[in-house]
Amino acid sequence: MSAPPEPTILALESSCDETAAAVVRGTRVLSSIVSTQIEIHRQFGGVVPELASRHHLGSITTVTEQAISAAGMSLEDIDAIAVTEGPGLSGALLVAVQMGRGLSFSTGKPLYGVHHMEGHLWSAYLGDAELEPATFAPHVAMLVSGGHTELVEVRAVGRYRVLGCTRDDAAGEAYDKVGKLLGLGYPGGPVIDKLAAEGNPAAHAFPRPMLKQPGFEFSFAGLKTAVLVHVERRGAPDSRQALADICASFQAAVSDILVAKAARALERTGLKRLNIVGGVAANRGLRETAMARGATDGFEVRVPPLRYCGDNAAMIGAAAAARVQAGVVPGVDVYTNLPIDDDRVLFA
Ligand code: KG4
Ligand code: ZN
């Protein structure tokens, strides 16, 4: 008997500052539209929640229509709808959730809520329509974004155990704060990454907080302060090279800490695969450090294609597809805080 055809899923995402919609079949992306608000928030140096909600409201209909038509489909071709239900900004989350509820009500198609970080887990498996889907094997996931830094043991769909997270700033947040204090604008991550390529990572010995402590927790606030103190003592960098050296040294510290803890998590769990996901997974230094460590320690490293590192709806659709297959009962709520190992899932 042949397997039943995979459902075609329309996915929506509006948890932070990207309004996104996608059509997927499993991990195959048929269309993915992302409308970013970065330019709107840049002048304020960070995401302004009220502005985010308003701009999501203005874009969600267009983005949804674009995703359906870019997939060469109409609403009738969609089997199920998925939406990010948390964690995220409450007003922002509500926009896609209400859109999903409206579409589900008017078409009678089931609506599934997806954990935003579970979506990021799936981003590492997304591919174009022609690609054979990859298997979601047990692995350690390092979730590194503007709001999260955590190591998660992933055994199977819905079976997640948080091994450790940050005590203060997330890795992306540290990038953004250091970017701000160096006058590089928002978000700092991509700019620091680019400048770091021109600098000497050994120029400044910035600290590696928590590196020596046992366990899987992180702390980035002290590292950010170390960069601040460095700039206050020596004055703002007076050349592109001096700036690039600070960026490279900061990036080396972040990458060393993240990869050392991830390697420890692999050793502890006995797993042989590390998936790095979230906005910071785009970071060149982090990718290189992880690959090098993987080569010496004997583990595989998987990262999403660059276009799926940041927030997108295709990852939400892929996570939903796996849940549908696992027999999860449809249903949606809005959660501003929601641990990834929360036991809220009801199976049929
Ligand atoms: O996953 P994401 O798009 O949104 C959240 O859910 O937070 O992550 C955004 C974060 C920002 O802090 C941004 O500075 C960081 O990811 N980021 C990077 C890079 N690209 C984005 N950090 C370091 N290097 C990059 N290349
Ligand atoms: Zn995210």
Side-chain angles (χ1 to χ4, degrees):
M1 218 173 74
S2 63
E6 272 186 303
T8 304
I9 296 184
L10 168 67
L12 310 172
E13 151 71 40
S14 69
S15 64
C16 190
D17 60 347
E18 263 91 31
T19 321
V23 177
V24 304
R25 262 192 211 119
T27 52
R28 291 169 216 235
V29 183
L30 308 184
S31 69
S32 174
I33 308 287
V34 180
S35 166
T36 183
Q37 303 175 358
I38 280 185
E39 287 309 323
I40 292 151
H41 300 290
R42 181 166 281 148
Q43 57 190 305
F44 303 101
V47 177
V48 182
E50 174 59 24
L51 283 180
S53 321
R54 268 195 252 163
H55 282 88
H56 285 310
L57 262 181
S59 329
I60 189 78
T61 309
T62 315
V63 165
T64 305
E65 284 169 355
Q66 283 175 345
I68 297 171
S69 79
M73 294 186 176
S74 65
L75 205 46
E76 291 80 64
D77 303 313
I78 303 295
D79 299 308
I81 301 157
V83 62
T84 301
E85 60 181 352
L89 305 167
S90 56
L93 284 166
L94 258 175
V95 175
V97 166
Q98 291 301 76
M99 180 76 179
R101 282 178 175 150
L103 286 172
S104 171
F105 186 72
S106 59
T107 60
K109 297 176 198 291
L111 175 64
Y112 294 89
V114 173
H115 191 289
H116 180 77
M117 302 314 288
E118 187 176 18
H120 276 296
L121 291 185
W122 281 93
S123 66
Y125 295 90
L126 293 176
D128 295 330
E130 302 79 44
L131 286 180
E132 268 309 301
T135 314
F136 191 64
H139 63 269
V140 167
M142 185 156 67
L143 303 169
V144 272
S145 70
H148 289 82
T149 296
E150 51 192 18
L151 283 165
V152 178
E153 181 183 353
V154 177
R155 285 288 169 190
V157 177
R159 283 187 56 208
Y160 313 126
R161 185 162 69 101
V162 177
L163 299 168
C165 48
T166 180
R167 287 187 177 178
D168 40 56
D169 293 349
E173 193 179 351
Y175 264 98
D176 294 339
K177 286 179 175 171
V178 167
K180 200 169 179 175
L181 75 89
L182 291 174
L184 300 174
Y186 171 85
V191 191
I192 292 178
D193 192 10
K194 209 161 161 230
L195 279 162
E198 300 168 26
N200 173 10
H204 309 290
F206 291 133
R208 271 96 170 127
M210 310 275 300
L211 188 65
K212 297 263 166 1
Q213 267 110 309
F216 307 104
E217 288 190 311
F218 302 93
S219 167
F220 291 104
L223 173 57
K224 169 208 66 196
T225 306
V227 179
L228 177 66
V229 169
H230 175 92
V231 171
E232 279 175 354
R233 284 202 186 135
R234 303 204 189 178
D238 55 1
S239 67
R240 188 174 172 96
Q241 191 57 52
L243 179 62
D245 285 348
I246 294 177
C247 291
S249 302
F250 167 73
Q251 181 146 303
V254 175
S255 305
D256 280 357
I257 300 163
L258 289 172
V259 172
K261 296 266 166 164
R264 193 180 292 168
L266 286 158
E267 205 182 309
R268 176 75 59 87
T269 54
L271 294 167
K272 290 281 173 212
R273 177 188 290 283
L274 172 67
N275 288 1
I276 308 176
V277 295
V280 185
N283 189 262
R284 196 189 46 87
L286 176 59
R287 287 175 174 226
E288 281 172 8
T289 310
M291 300 283 178
R293 184 71 184 255
T296 47
D297 284 19
F299 60 80
E300 267 183 74
V301 179
R302 193 179 181 99
V303 286
L306 279 180
R307 65 186 179 286
Y308 299 129
C309 285
D311 288 346
N312 64 85
M315 66 185 196
I316 302 302
R323 289 176 156 249
V324 173
Q325 219 168 18
V328 163
V329 173
V332 158
D333 228 314
V334 170
Y335 303 88
T336 48
N337 281 312
L338 183 62
I340 193 169
D341 49 1
D342 185 276
D343 194 17
R344 78 197 191 288
V345 180
L346 294 173
F347 288 95

